[in-house]
Amino acid sequence: MPTPTIAVAFAIISLVFSVNHAHAEQRPNIILILADDMGYSDLGCYGSEIATPNLDRLAHRGVRFTQFYNSSKCEPTRASLMSGQYWQDTGFGVKRGQTMGEAMKQRDYATFAVGKWHLDGNPVDRGFDRYFGHLAGGSHYFRVAASQRLNHDVFRQPPGDDFYMTDANADYAIEFIDELRQEDENKPFMMYLAFNAPHSPLHALPEDIAKYRDTYRVGWDIIRQQRHKKQIDIGITKEQWKLPPRDPSVPAWETLSQREKDFESTRMAIYAAMVDRMDQAIGRVLDRVKEHGEEDNTLVIFLSDNGGSASDPSIAPKTVEGLLGENGAGKNGYWVGVGWSNVSNTPFQRYKCEMGNGGILTSCVASWPSVITTGGLLIDEPAHIVDLMATITDVAGTPISETASEKLPGLSLRPLLNGSPRASHDALYFHLFHNRAIIADGMKLVSNWDSPWALYDMNADRTEQNDLASLRPELAVSLQKRWESWYADVPEKRWNPSTGEPRYRRMDDPEESYNRRTGNGDEIIVVKRSEASQPRKKQIAPK
């Protein structure tokens, strides 16, 4: 029989082993962060000059994906992300299948949604325990939106409150985490944190704008070249993928008048400030997770819903004073514009809504310190937003494919996080309006605005400079048939059968301003180019 001292020692060792074993078996928290209309190169760790130290730290401790695809527009991407299905299958708003919230509640996770929803119903009716954010497709940053909710309740801005949407999202994300830990120290949580930033309107805090007032005076040509060089240096982009010429609708910076340069450099300064503030907000949320001692066992994934937007309303006056407004924080109605969106999407062509890589490729960072032991890795394996449902249910312990009535198209990213191989997608499919694409076996077949199909090699030419369709016609035809076979089976095609024009949902939402005027009569530029070489034309929709 051991002496009392030895017995105590055995007991301590046994307790320590039990605690460590329990911690090792503990399921991770999951924080899925979504930016809105942010281009591929807008983070420091993807080539930008914008200060994003918190996301850069995640990248250096975690992994960065260099070929992560979205659905090219806010609502389609959210439908795919939230359901784990192509939006054509789940329907806009997630009409078929379950949401992430519902899937994770079944796995005994606390579930939180914060920020922009832009789907059917209210998150608290769709599997989420708590919600703070706006239900519509967009929001003012300094005023509470009409669709702003705290759980089911209409959220009203407290009198005298210095409200800024990005900061408010972080405040409530922190509050939800704190409340959970007061109630239960061990229950894992899944948080969907969807910022409105840097989606229009251009609204930022003056102190953040001040950081960038001089940064963009050198112009979009130099900034784009600097980003491209940095991307090559850090391995995000390969030198063989040539930087495309400046968008033909964008003038050379040196041809602008001084007044135009002042206006343009200021609106990019506001945009940069919005990204900067979003990074600050993310840092505050992650700091609170760390304070709770849960940083190592929290999986954080950050991405954007689509590339930078080429929309640019014809709003007056196009002056620095008009842009900044009375409070120097930005005025409603202004967008960052096509010149700077061309920079945001470096090194790619095309924009939000289109199927060029500028529209459908997103920066994506993942961090999970207890699992990702070699930080800073770049992952070039093609991945897609439909993979996120498969990923979070996998790390929660029960992959979705084991419980769903029908197999979802996503593949878990978990093996890639620690450097293991993963089965590749047989093909990835894309469609929105008159834009179509398929990616398979390293090749991409794409048509924007009903232009002839073009074929690109994603390994040799990811910036889509060399169309191989005429050189490899059999492959182009084969991929076209695969896309058409997929499209024939999807339930939600979104065409108007009488006119052949694309249909879109929620035209009563002010943010869904495509092909129409805003409520105050401002003209909207409708982007429709049948050929990549054609200049962008302003088309005014009828009243």
Side-chain angles (χ1 to χ4, degrees):
M1 185 173 181
T3 64
T5 302
I6 295 175
V8 170
F10 274 130
I12 293 174
I13 292 171
S14 180
L15 177 61
V16 170
F17 177 83
S18 298
V19 170
N20 288 339
H21 181 72
H23 184 266
E25 295 296 320
Q26 184 178 355
R27 294 177 298 165
N29 302 316
I30 300 165
I31 303 178
L32 179 58
I33 307 173
L34 191 67
D36 198 337
D37 284 11
M38 192 191 80
Y40 185 83
S41 72
D42 281 332
L43 301 182
C45 56
Y46 276 80
S48 179
E49 67 294 329
I50 301 173
T52 55
N54 295 294
L55 288 166
D56 294 349
R57 183 173 70 90
L58 290 181
H60 295 147
R61 296 186 62 181
V63 300
R64 277 166 290 174
F65 290 83
T66 58
Q67 200 174 176
F68 200 104
Y69 293 94
N70 55 56
S71 292
S72 195
K73 194 177 186 299
C74 309
E75 189 175 18
T77 287
R78 282 164 174 74
S80 289
L81 179 153
M82 188 57 57
S83 68
Q85 304 179 60
Y86 285 108
W87 71 261
Q88 292 89 349
D89 293 321
T90 188
F92 280 133
V94 186
K95 289 184 167 55
R96 294 174 287 277
Q98 60 183 335
T99 68
M100 279 183 174
E102 291 161 339
M104 297 303 283
K105 277 186 73 70
Q106 293 171 6
R107 289 157 177 78
D108 198 31
Y109 267 66
T111 53
F112 309 130
V114 177
K116 175 175 170 175
W117 181 237
H118 207 187
L119 297 170
D120 285 352
N122 184 310
V124 289
D125 297 321
R126 308 212 62 184
F128 289 92
D129 299 322
R130 301 294 308 277
Y131 174 60
F132 171 80
H134 55 280
L135 300 174
S139 174
H140 199 281
Y141 286 82
F142 292 103
R143 293 198 306 267
V144 172
S147 68
Q148 197 80 19
R149 299 289 184 272
L150 178 57
N151 302 320
H152 277 118
D153 298 330
V154 173
F155 179 82
R156 303 191 185 284
Q157 184 174 341
D161 181 42
D162 293 329
F163 183 86
Y164 185 66
M165 181 65 71
T166 302
D167 288 344
N169 287 338
D171 292 342
Y172 277 92
I174 292 169
E175 181 176 312
F176 292 165
I177 293 170
D178 287 347
E179 288 177 351
L180 174 65
R181 288 296 166 251
Q182 291 171 5
E183 299 169 1
D184 190 327
E185 294 182 355
N186 300 311
K187 188 167 188 172
F189 67 84
M190 191 279 287
M191 175 175 288
Y192 172 55
L193 178 53
F195 288 98
N196 199 57
H199 192 290
S200 66
L202 292 177
H203 291 165
L205 299 174
E207 59 266 32
D208 292 331
I209 299 173
K211 300 179 189 179
Y212 300 98
R213 284 304 298 270
D214 295 327
T215 302
Y216 299 103
R217 295 186 188 281
V218 296
W220 43 55
D221 293 318
I222 290 177
I223 295 293
R224 187 166 178 255
Q225 292 165 5
Q226 290 174 344
R227 289 193 180 190
H228 187 236
K229 182 181 183 304
K230 183 178 177 181
Q231 289 178 327
I232 293 172
D233 292 342
I234 63 180
I236 289 293
T237 295
K238 294 182 179 180
E239 193 166 4
Q240 71 191 74
W241 302 337
K242 300 302 181 182
L243 182 67
R246 181 196 326 107
D247 185 302
S249 70
V250 177
W253 183 260
E254 290 307 315
T255 66
L256 300 182
S257 68
Q258 189 58 51
R259 178 177 175 178
E260 289 171 328
K261 290 178 180 178
D262 291 344
F263 173 80
E264 293 291 353
S265 62
T266 301
R267 66 171 169 177
M268 185 57 188
I270 301 173
Y271 178 91
M274 296 167 75
V275 175
D276 185 316
R277 178 58 61 160
M278 178 178 63
D279 182 83
Q280 294 178 51
I282 291 168
R284 289 201 293 123
V285 174
L286 299 182
D287 284 346
R288 185 54 57 90
V289 171
K290 185 176 182 178
E291 290 169 10
H292 284 294
E294 301 177 48
E295 179 181 42
D296 286 349
N297 200 36
T298 297
L299 169 62
V300 181
I301 300 176
F302 172 92
L303 70 159
S304 180
D305 62 351
N306 46 251
S309 173
S311 296
D312 192 10
S314 299
I315 192 167
K318 285 199 170 184
T319 63
V320 172
E321 295 75 21
L323 172 61
L324 290 173
E326 294 180 2
N327 297 321
K331 188 176 179 183
N332 208 27
Y334 290 92
W335 296 55
V336 73
V338 65
W340 292 114
S341 291
N342 194 199
V343 173
S344 289
N345 296 337
T346 304
F348 304 121
Q349 300 186 98
R350 301 286 183 172
Y351 306 91
K352 171 182 178 179
C353 295
E354 299 177 314
M355 297 302 152
N357 282 343
I360 62 175
L361 262 181
T362 177
S363 52
C364 180
V365 176
S367 173
W368 188 4
S370 67
V371 170
I372 302 174
T373 56
T374 304
L377 290 178
L378 300 176
I379 297 175
D380 200 48
E381 169 73 22
H384 191 277
I385 47 175
V386 295
D387 293 340
L388 295 175
M389 174 75 95
T391 302
I392 67 169
T393 56
D394 184 11
V395 303
T398 310
I400 190 72
S401 59
E402 296 179 8
T403 59
S405 58
E406 61 176 330
K407 183 172 175 58
L408 299 181
L411 301 173
S412 175
L413 303 173
R414 185 173 187 172
L416 300 174
L417 300 182
N418 57 17
S420 300
R422 182 194 77 163
S424 298
H425 285 279
D426 178 57
L428 295 173
Y429 299 92
F430 305 86
H431 163 246
L432 185 67
F433 304 136
H434 287 275
N435 306 315
R436 305 160 286 171
I438 177 175
I439 297 172
D441 300 322
M443 303 299 292
K444 178 180 178 182
L445 189 73
V446 59
S447 168
N448 286 292
W449 307 116
D450 284 338
S451 63
W453 288 100
L455 180 67
Y456 299 103
D457 185 333
M458 289 295 96
N459 295 315
D461 178 31
R462 199 164 296 172
T463 54
E464 300 172 294
Q465 295 297 286
N466 300 304
D467 180 5
L468 303 176
S470 62
L471 298 177
R472 304 184 66 180
E474 292 182 0
L475 177 58
V477 170
S478 174
L479 289 173
Q480 179 180 345
K481 288 181 177 178
R482 290 177 69 177
W483 186 90
E484 290 171 347
S485 177
W486 167 79
Y487 186 68
D489 290 336
V490 300
E492 195 133 345
K493 294 184 173 63
R494 290 290 157 184
W495 296 96
N496 184 324
S498 63
T499 64
E501 288 297 304
R503 293 184 300 179
Y504 201 73
R505 179 174 178 269
R506 292 184 175 160
M507 295 306 289
D508 59 330
D509 185 336
E511 284 303 313
E512 302 304 343
S513 53
Y514 299 90
N515 296 308
R516 71 186 207 37
R517 290 174 180 262
T518 61
N520 61 10
D522 290 328
E523 298 171 348
I524 297 298
I525 290 180
V526 179
V527 180
K528 278 194 176 184
R529 292 185 296 177
S530 60
E531 300 290 344
S533 60
Q534 288 183 350
R536 187 172 308 279
K537 297 178 180 179
K538 183 187 295 185
Q539 299 178 7
I540 307 302
K543 292 183 179 180

